[in-house]
Amino acid sequence: MTRTGLIALAVAGLLTGTASAEDAALKAAVEADYEANLGALFDHFHRNPELSGMEVRTAARMAQELRALGYEVTEGVGGTGVVAVLRNGEGPTVMIRADMDGLPLREQSGLANASTVTQVDADGVEKPVMHACGHDVHITALVGTARQMMARRNNWSGTLVLVAQPAEERIFGARAMIEDGLYARFPKPDYALAFHVAADLPTGRVEAPLGITASSSDSVDIAVHGVGTHGAYPHLGVDPVLVASHIVVALQSLRSRETNPLEGAVVTVGAIHGGIKHNIISDRVDLQLTVRSDSPEVRQQLLDGIDRIARNTALALGVPEDRLPTVTRSATETTPPTINDAETAARVRAALAESLGEGVLIEVPRTGMGAEDFAYFVTPESGVKGVYMSVGGTAPEAVDDAPGHHSPLFRIEARPSVITGVEASVTAAEALLRRPG
């Protein structure tokens, strides 16, 4: 069944509501703001993306926009992170987060405002950059949300914290902000909210799951060592290309034969680098893996299995004990799964269904194991209750053919995506900051 068909089935059984005059006023205000401010702001962000951890100009613009609205703004949190605070009487604290970074891709969307910028990455290599995952929608909507929450202060009571986060694409920005004192230097939230625009959902629709929304992710590197020799005399060496090939195949048994088939698990070898010439058996091959799971238990099982398979496959193929593979798990590109707090998500869903109107709230099955470092803001240890939403980004008639995220062809319908993102964020925040009486 197509994605559109799944959505149609899902919509049929959901909560519905009728928007009030106040809700209609919110929609009108956001639409007017898009025409006056947010449309041009989105265009600026889309034309000027920046790579992970290097979002200097983006952060400066976010700080400028939020400061102009009257928020207390702090820059340079966890690198390029921006934190804005609005205190509005007694009540809980709600944090709303938007990620800022782009990806090292040359945009081929065909849009008039397609990015043409390049940037020298942390590895010293100049690369093309584009917003191939919709973070330009997120930060534009955060500014729109900030404006509406300021204008609607009579509707809510408590403290609002807005976060423009760096480096989500490399899943170290959220942790960097936490380690830089986000929850110590600023009001610690009782609740945290975020949304991601989704190319595979129709515009004007919002999803807010009651449980898991994104998988864990770990970047793992395997250096496969061999003994180099002439390609015509393979018996005089140990071929790391052969060893690496066996490791790649054996790793798939972790998903197919060691993991409960009802559990989510992925081990993808995304890159293989080795060898220099047709007739030379090299002494090293490097593998780069991404590992995904939906539970801590499966996550550890996969990581332990990678160590075991790499070591024992090499031994079986004659690699000397002192040249066994080196398995390294990234200390920065790692995140636990993102799991919504069920009770808080239920409150947000009820508010969305009531305020945004019939058919806006949808629920569809997960179709992949994307990761999201929003998880660091809502760990069980933090006590912060999180709700992570998805906002439709593609015209309904084009959903089935929409290019995926992280594609150079990626494109989003900016106006409805930003407007719905603002409406959903304001509605969710006000539901959690409801003024007594």
Side-chain angles (χ1 to χ4, degrees):
M1 181 176 292
T2 66
R3 183 73 165 168
T4 302
L6 286 170
I7 291 168
L9 287 176
V11 169
L14 286 173
L15 293 170
T16 60
T18 303
S20 67
E22 182 177 339
D23 299 321
L26 170 61
K27 185 175 185 64
V30 178
E31 289 176 342
D33 188 26
Y34 190 88
E35 303 306 325
N37 304 293
L38 299 181
L41 185 62
F42 172 84
D43 184 74
H44 168 79
F45 286 140
H46 189 80
R47 292 177 186 271
N48 297 282
E50 294 177 286
L51 294 170
S52 301
M54 307 175 72
E55 312 90 343
V56 176
R57 292 176 300 165
T58 304
R61 181 63 182 267
M62 288 297 294
Q64 173 190 329
E65 294 285 339
L66 296 170
R67 194 173 280 121
L69 293 173
Y71 285 75
E72 304 169 24
V73 176
T74 303
E75 300 176 64
V77 181
T80 58
V82 178
V83 179
V85 179
L86 175 60
R87 305 172 199 274
N88 189 37
E90 297 296 321
T93 296
V94 169
M95 184 182 88
I96 306 178
R97 169 275 213 168
D99 36 12
M100 298 187 287
D101 52 332
L103 286 156
L105 290 169
R106 189 176 306 281
E107 184 165 357
Q108 300 174 35
S109 66
L111 296 171
N113 62 348
S115 168
T116 59
V117 304
T118 62
Q119 188 176 21
V120 177
D121 205 347
D123 59 8
V125 178
E126 186 172 5
K127 301 172 183 177
V129 193
M130 73 171 286
H131 273 299
C133 204
H135 295 187
D136 45 358
V137 171
H138 305 170
I139 48 180
T140 303
L142 188 69
V143 173
T145 299
R147 182 173 285 109
Q148 297 306 319
M149 293 298 289
M150 178 67 78
R152 296 165 62 91
R153 292 192 301 281
N154 289 338
N155 289 10
W156 60 273
S157 182
T159 299
L160 180 66
V161 179
L162 305 179
V163 170
Q165 181 211 303
E168 186 279 332
E169 295 293 0
R170 295 184 60 189
I171 53 177
F172 67 78
R175 186 175 65 255
M177 294 191 77
I178 292 289
E179 291 174 350
D180 198 19
L182 178 64
Y183 286 174
R185 296 165 54 191
F186 307 96
K188 182 180 178 181
D190 299 288
Y191 306 100
L193 300 170
F195 81 84
H196 203 300
V197 67
D200 58 351
L201 292 181
T203 52
R205 301 293 186 263
V206 181
E207 184 183 22
L210 295 175
I212 189 164
T213 65
S215 302
S216 69
S217 178
D218 292 284
S219 293
V220 178
D221 293 276
I222 305 177
V224 181
H225 305 287
V227 178
T229 187
H230 195 296
Y233 302 85
H235 59 290
L236 299 181
V238 177
D239 187 352
V241 173
L242 178 65
V243 176
S245 299
H246 278 267
I247 290 173
V248 170
V249 173
L251 286 173
Q252 300 313 307
S253 68
L254 292 173
R255 161 71 268 188
S256 65
R257 288 298 178 266
E258 296 190 31
T259 304
N260 184 327
L262 300 181
E263 294 271 9
V266 166
V267 178
T268 292
V269 180
I272 303 177
H273 301 285
I276 56 174
K277 189 69 175 65
H278 304 73
N279 61 350
I280 296 174
I281 290 177
S282 66
D283 61 359
R284 176 167 173 158
V285 172
D286 291 291
L287 307 178
Q288 296 179 340
L289 287 66
T290 188
V291 183
R292 308 296 174 101
S293 67
D294 288 344
S295 73
E297 296 77 18
V298 172
R299 185 185 191 188
Q300 193 60 53
Q301 175 186 324
L302 295 175
L303 294 172
D304 289 345
I306 291 168
D307 288 338
R308 184 189 75 242
I309 286 172
R311 173 184 173 83
N312 291 316
T313 300
L315 282 171
L317 293 174
V319 176
E321 287 271 3
D322 62 349
R323 298 187 62 79
L324 293 178
T326 304
V327 180
T328 307
R329 175 181 166 190
S330 173
T332 55
E333 296 187 12
T334 176
T335 185
T338 298
I339 303 174
N340 283 353
D341 178 73
E343 180 181 352
T344 307
R347 290 175 61 186
V348 167
R349 285 160 61 101
L352 293 172
E354 178 181 357
S355 299
L356 271 63
E358 183 174 351
V360 168
L361 185 66
I362 63 174
E363 187 171 8
V364 295
R366 290 176 70 205
T367 58
M369 298 191 71
E372 168 57 66
D373 71 349
F374 181 74
Y376 283 106
F377 296 129
V378 295
T379 61
E381 298 77 17
S382 72
V384 179
K385 299 176 180 179
V387 179
Y388 189 82
M389 302 177 286
S390 294
V391 169
T394 299
E397 67 275 9
V399 166
D400 286 340
D401 298 319
H405 293 242
H406 293 212
S407 163
L409 304 176
F410 179 83
R411 57 190 296 165
I412 284 295
E413 297 292 334
R415 186 180 187 278
S417 300
V418 170
I419 289 172
T420 304
V422 174
E423 289 184 274
S425 298
V426 171
T427 300
E430 289 187 352
L432 301 175
L433 292 166
R434 197 174 301 281
R435 188 179 294 278

